[in-house]
Amino acid sequence: MTDIENAEFLLDRHGPVMIIRLNRPQARNALTRTMMQGIGAAVIAAETDPSVRAVLLTGTGDRAFGSGMDLRAFAGGTDFGGGQETDAYGRLAKGQTSIPVIGAANGTAIGGGLELLLGSDVIVASAAAKFGFPEAKRGLFAAGGGTSIGTRIPLGIALELLLTGEFIDADRAYQIGLVNAVAAPDQVFDTALALAEKIAANAPLGLAATKELTRLAVTDSDLAEQRLSKWQSIVFSSADAKEGAMAFVEKRSPNWQGR
């Protein structure tokens, strides 16, 4: 757990759900090297701890989930790359973690903040939140994963967001499928946590297979087909598959082992 006052990120647990919280509300939760490496370390810990079945990613405050890279640090020459933790952060932003990630957009998510949020498998957004990629207005482009947003929303809308640098509100984000649900600002975390608990109640191996194959089906159908047979041999012969069947027959809740 991380409970140090003024820490740039906070970790908590709610049963099988690990909660990662960006914690720089005074800077609209802009990402620093410390935050990125800390989040990456938390991802590694979650993936190697069988008691963690889902990750909930959110921010502190009600103004912003994340405003992207800390431009003051970037302009000052801070090195944001390198290392196992940074690689794990990159996998999170690309949706490549082995466990489900639920995003709770407590406020606006733009630039790198939105790229990080897009690593979530499902997203609950505050009704007051806005979303967008302003990089084109700053002489940059959304190089941290934003250019793949067309795999999640219609291509024309993706290009409009990226090329104009303009923002959309939560209702529009829901209409185009960018977020899964919109909640009142004071209900975002609880709504996301309830969803995370519902997901975490399912079998870990089945969740891992479902997440990887569903994402690959959109980005690399040939690889998805190859991985399908691999996952079938793992999941359908697992102890959890047998436990799921027995629990159904015996009308009880299953006791998953993740194997």
Side-chain angles (χ1 to χ4, degrees), residues 13-100:
R13 280 288 295 272
H14 192 284
V17 180
M18 175 183 282
I19 301 164
I20 303 176
R21 191 185 299 270
L22 310 184
N23 190 45
R24 296 184 71 214
Q26 75 284 357
R28 300 181 67 85
N29 292 325
L31 294 163
T32 66
R33 178 185 175 90
T34 298
M35 292 171 74
M36 294 170 70
Q37 291 190 325
I39 292 167
V43 167
I44 294 171
E47 290 181 316
T48 54
D49 184 346
S51 70
V52 178
R53 302 286 174 81
V55 168
L56 194 161
L57 182 64
T58 190
T60 298
D62 57 8
R63 294 178 60 216
F65 166 83
S67 57
M69 183 187 301
D70 187 318
L71 292 180
R72 291 183 183 275
F74 177 74
T78 298
D79 180 9
F80 280 81
Q84 183 181 17
E85 292 82 6
T86 302
D87 290 344
Y89 175 90
R91 288 193 295 105
L92 173 63
K94 294 174 183 176
Q96 295 174 351
T97 59
S98 60
I99 61 177

Side-chain angles (χ1 to χ4, degrees), residues 174-212:
Y174 177 74
Q175 292 168 5
I176 64 176
L178 181 61
V179 303
N180 297 80
V182 177
D186 62 350
Q187 294 296 314
V188 174
F189 180 82
D190 288 343
T191 302
L193 180 59
L195 185 55
E197 291 177 320
K198 185 178 295 186
I199 292 171
N202 294 323
L205 287 177
L207 290 174
T210 298
K211 172 172 178 169
E212 180 182 332

Side-chain angles (χ1 to χ4, degrees), residues 212-213 216 220-228:
E212 180 182 332
L213 295 173
L216 281 177
D220 191 335
S221 59
D222 289 339
L223 182 55
E225 188 66 27
Q226 296 173 26
R227 293 290 292 162
L228 174 61

